[in-house]
Amino acid sequence: SRTAVLIIGVLEWKDSSISTFPKENRLELELYNTFLQRGVKKENIIFLKDEKATLENIQKSFQKLLNSENLPETFWFYYAGHGSKDID
């Protein structure tokens, strides 16, 4: 009951020069379902994927799950995707 989970999966990008990945059999969805099966409350799991995985949504999700009123004993963070340095 005191476990929080943030799962982020980015398999597509705005930049068409970066290859996308197949969306069938997403491992992030399997991980989400595993946490549910093991008793983590649905409201304690946030799964952001593709266009929903914006920096703003990620930051809001951290704030929601790690608020001081209901601080979890265990926090799981999973990220799948690519990144690059932005000099700006």
Side-chain angles (χ1 to χ4, degrees), residues 58-81:
I58 293 168
Q59 290 171 333
K60 285 180 181 179
S61 296
F62 269 114
Q63 289 173 353
K64 179 181 178 185
L65 291 173
L66 300 176
N67 70 48
S68 59
E69 294 173 12
N70 191 25
L71 195 62
E73 291 178 359
T74 305
F75 176 71
W76 288 87
F77 175 75
Y78 176 87
Y79 174 84

